[in-house]
Amino acid sequence: MIKVESLSKTYGGFKAVDDVSFTARPGRVTGFLGPNGAGKTTTMRIMVGLTPATSGSATVSGRRFADLPNPGLEVGVLLDASAQHAGRTGREILTVAQRTMGLPGSRVDEILDLVSLTPTESGRRVRNYSLGMRQRLGIAAALLGEPEVLILDEPANGLDPAGIRWMRDLLRGYADRGGTVLLSSHLLHEIEVIADDLVVIGNGRIVAQGTKAELLASAGTLVRTPDVPTLSQALTGAGVAFAPMTDALRVEADPDVVGRVALAAGVALTELRAAEGAGLEEMFLELTADTQREGVAA
Amino acid sequence: MTAAVLEHEVVRTERPTPARIPMSRLISVELRKSFDTRSGFWLMASIGILAVIATVATIVFAPESELDYEAFASAIGFPMAVVLPIIAALLVTSEWSQRSGLTTFTLVPHRGRVITAKLAVSVGIGAVSMLIAAAIGAVGNVVGTAITGTDTVWNVSAAELSYIIIANVLGMLVGFMLGVLMRNSAAAIVGYFVYSFALPPLTFLLAQNQQWFKDLQPWVDFNYAQGNLFNGVMTGTYWAQLAVTTFVWLVVPLVVGLRLVLRSEVK
């Protein structure tokens, strides 16, 4: 269980994390979602004591991270897979962690097997690793002490589709056995398939949180047409509220109502469906647009 | 919370709180980390290699009349004074420069304990290195004088040897302090060379030209105060000068560096 309460972090006048509160529960995968620079990594770094908080608190299994006597046995952390001494072999990095935690040496072989790093690969120096291999090594290091809580920052980065599938199954199994998993991502679809709960953050503030089912609940109708202006006009005329999306409209009415309006206006549709998750996606796109990095095309 | 969550909590057996990581384990892990990369290994090996090279060079180049233990001790002493502080500095700075600190300080969220373990490893490496160097020098002295057929002269007393060890450990601590203060490998190494090799000629020049500084120098110049250790005679005044300069030039910046380490973000 991870509990974050009113966490804030200010750099000069810039609020990187602004009054963030949420709980990641045992037995569930909590997705921490937000565009680049939203404050996900800073929040996670504060949780594990690498960055001091300006105010607020974060506890893991009811204790401050610094109060955990042997943190590796209670919390598995992967913040940046590239933050390793490039001159050590993968096996050596795990051995150093295993010795620090006081685990038997055989645990290193078990965990290498679990993340599918071969003896040849684990004998190579990390500077020769691909990003995907570094992620596997980082996940191995996080799982080494069989912790009850996992904190993973963008663990899917650099993994190939098969690797992403593998990690998803691994984390699912982990949560199903009662573990608490918090993982961050800037990709909605990546997190949608694995998370039970979602915490969405933008510009340092939490903009939405709840179970995936709640957040992705049907929110009106998604309608796509080559002739957006005519349909917009018709919908306004029919007194139905709607919001324009990139190349479609999200209408606050059922699909059959929208269909009849479109028929009356003589507008051809390319797509008409209940807008499951469109609300979240739209909100997420807005957040991304605000940071003005990906632009509207994202 | 849903029923499923509660069910999981029942399934998960309550585990006992693990014991705190003992200091001895941190020290052994830090010692391992100083050997387990190619650069780390060769830096350590260079202590022995350089001592052997210096010994052979002394046998080959030193005139027969000067072939005594002191000649070997000073020949080996110089590479030690360069290598040991670099080892100590890198022990600290690699956590930042290589970013391995992210893992180190999450596995042990008490930076002071990690730094203490590194300090213990530094001093240990320094003392052992000096003993190895002294032994290599002794072998050189025996072999060298056997080759030349001259008498083997042991003109370094136990007290003098211990002064040299103290001086080198102090130099190593300066490297360590700069590592803690700078947290950057290149900056710490450059800093050490400025501290130990660029400053002494400047203070020497100043003392030559300014009488007030010449009187003050023993009490403010760390390198000058350490020089007495190599001269083999330490009076009470010399010890006091060494203590004062060590405090100002080593202890104070180390404390400042430690505060920075404890408060800073590990990126």
Side-chain angles (χ1 to χ4, degrees), chain B residues 163-179:
Chain B
Y163 293 159
I164 294 173
I165 292 179
I166 290 173
N168 275 285
V169 170
L170 274 179
M172 198 163 188
L173 291 177
V174 168
F176 188 84
M177 174 274 286
L178 288 167

Side-chain angles (χ1 to χ4, degrees), chain A residues 73-86:
Chain A
L73 301 180
E74 299 184 66
V75 193
V77 181
L78 169 59
L79 287 182
D80 185 343
S82 296
Q84 290 294 356
H85 195 302

Side-chain angles (χ1 to χ4, degrees), chain B residues 136-229:
Chain B
I136 292 175
V139 171
N141 194 20
V142 171
V143 174
T145 49
I147 292 171
T148 56
T150 51
D151 290 337
T152 311
V153 184
W154 301 101
N155 54 350
V156 178
S157 69
E160 285 171 320
L161 193 64
S162 65
Y163 293 159
I164 294 173
I165 292 179
I166 290 173
N168 275 285
V169 170
L170 274 179
M172 198 163 188
L173 291 177
V174 168
F176 188 84
M177 174 274 286
L178 288 167
V180 171
L181 197 61
M182 308 274 191
R183 280 168 282 139
N184 176 297
S185 302
I189 290 172
V190 171
Y192 178 71
F193 281 106
V194 170
Y195 221 84
S196 300
F197 300 105
L199 274 184
L202 294 178
T203 53
F204 176 77
L205 209 63
L206 190 62
Q208 290 292 301
N209 295 301
Q210 301 288 332
Q211 188 58 40
W212 63 267
F213 185 74
K214 196 177 173 61
D215 300 336
L216 202 59
Q217 193 178 21
W219 294 98
V220 294
D221 189 338
F222 191 25
N223 290 302
Y224 185 92
Q226 280 183 74
N228 291 321
L229 286 168

Side-chain angles (χ1 to χ4, degrees), chain A residues 132 136 155-169 190 193:
Chain A
R136 283 176 189 267
N157 262 6
L159 290 177
D160 53 26
I164 290 177
R165 177 64 177 272
W166 160 80
M167 193 195 63
R168 192 193 306 161
D169 294 344
E190 184 183 284
V193 290

Side-chain angles (χ1 to χ4, degrees), chain A residues 11 26 45 49-51 65-66 69 71 73 80 83-84 86 88 92 99-101 125 146 148 176-177, chain B residues 5 8-9 12 15 17-18 21 25 29 32-33 36-38 98-99 103 106-107 109-111 265-266:
Chain A
Y11 292 99
R45 292 170 51 84
L50 290 176
T51 295
F65 193 85
L73 301 180
D80 185 343
Q84 290 294 356
R88 290 203 178 100
E92 179 61 22
R99 293 197 169 214
T100 308
M101 294 181 216
R125 289 172 201 279
E146 295 181 80
E148 292 175 5
D176 288 346
R177 288 191 298 277
Chain B
V5 174
H8 284 311
E9 281 177 353
R12 191 110 195 174
R15 290 196 294 190
T17 307
I21 302 174
R25 198 193 289 161
V29 166
R32 184 187 178 100
K33 281 161 73 179
D36 70 358
T37 60
R38 243 176 234 156
Q98 292 282 343
R99 303 188 62 219
T103 307
T106 33
L107 287 179
H110 299 276
R111 298 178 201 173
E265 281 189 87
V266 183

Side-chain angles (χ1 to χ4, degrees), chain B residues 40 70 105 218 228 267:
Chain B
E70 195 188 351
F105 297 122
N228 291 321
K267 286 276 186 188

Side-chain angles (χ1 to χ4, degrees), chain A residues 5-273:
Chain A
E5 287 171 293
S6 316
L7 207 64
S8 293
K9 174 69 187 175
T10 313
Y11 292 99
F14 172 67
K15 282 204 155 182
V17 177
D18 189 1
D19 198 26
V20 164
S21 302
F22 66 87
T23 303
R25 295 188 170 81
R28 300 180 74 83
V29 176
T30 304
F32 196 25
L33 182 67
N36 296 326
K40 302 185 297 288
T41 302
T42 309
T43 305
M44 289 178 141
R45 292 170 51 84
I46 294 172
M47 281 179 198
V48 301
L50 290 176
T51 295
T54 306
S55 63
S57 69
T59 57
V60 182
S61 307
R63 271 169 300 176
R64 281 171 59 237
F65 193 85
D67 294 336
L68 300 171
N70 192 342
L73 301 180
E74 299 184 66
V75 193
V77 181
L78 169 59
L79 287 182
D80 185 343
S82 296
Q84 290 294 356
H85 195 302
R88 290 203 178 100
T89 64
R91 165 177 288 276
E92 179 61 22
I93 282 170
L94 293 178
T95 305
V96 166
Q98 163 255 318
R99 293 197 169 214
T100 308
M101 294 181 216
L103 296 166
S106 58
R107 186 70 193 137
V108 173
D109 291 303
E110 285 170 32
I111 211 77
L112 280 169
D113 201 39
L114 182 78
V115 301
S116 315
L117 282 175
T118 64
T120 325
E121 286 170 331
S122 66
R124 267 194 249 157
R125 289 172 201 279
V126 170
R127 72 163 57 86
N128 304 316
Y129 275 31
S130 67
L131 183 53
M133 284 167 75
R134 286 177 198 220
Q135 291 287 12
R136 283 176 189 267
L137 182 67
I139 291 168
L143 294 173
L144 196 62
E146 295 181 80
E148 292 175 5
V149 177
L150 284 180
I151 297 177
L152 311 171
D153 194 10
E154 306 265 1
N157 262 6
L159 290 177
D160 53 26
I164 290 177
R165 177 64 177 272
W166 160 80
M167 193 195 63
R168 192 193 306 161
D169 294 344
L170 183 86
L171 297 183
R172 184 73 265 158
Y174 191 83
D176 288 346
R177 288 191 298 277
T180 305
V181 181
L182 176 70
L183 86 159
S184 74
S185 176
H186 61 278
L187 300 172
L188 175 62
H189 296 292
E190 184 183 284
I191 224 155
E192 231 180 312
V193 290
I194 178 169
D196 303 302
D197 297 320
L198 287 174
V199 176
V200 187
I201 186 170
N203 296 322
R205 295 188 72 90
I206 290 190
V207 290
Q209 62 175 315
T211 64
K212 183 171 69 178
E214 282 166 22
L215 288 176
L216 297 185
S218 179
T221 299
L222 183 90
V223 58
R224 218 176 282 274
T225 171
D227 190 4
V228 174
T230 312
L231 184 61
S232 304
Q233 219 168 7
L235 285 167
T236 312
V240 183
F242 65 92
M245 288 172 61
T246 324
D247 59 341
L249 297 174
R250 194 172 63 79
V251 188
E252 286 170 28
D254 289 338
D256 63 323
V257 176
V258 180
R260 267 185 272 119
V261 172
L263 180 66
V267 179
L269 301 182
T270 51
E271 191 179 358
L272 177 68
R273 63 176 170 88

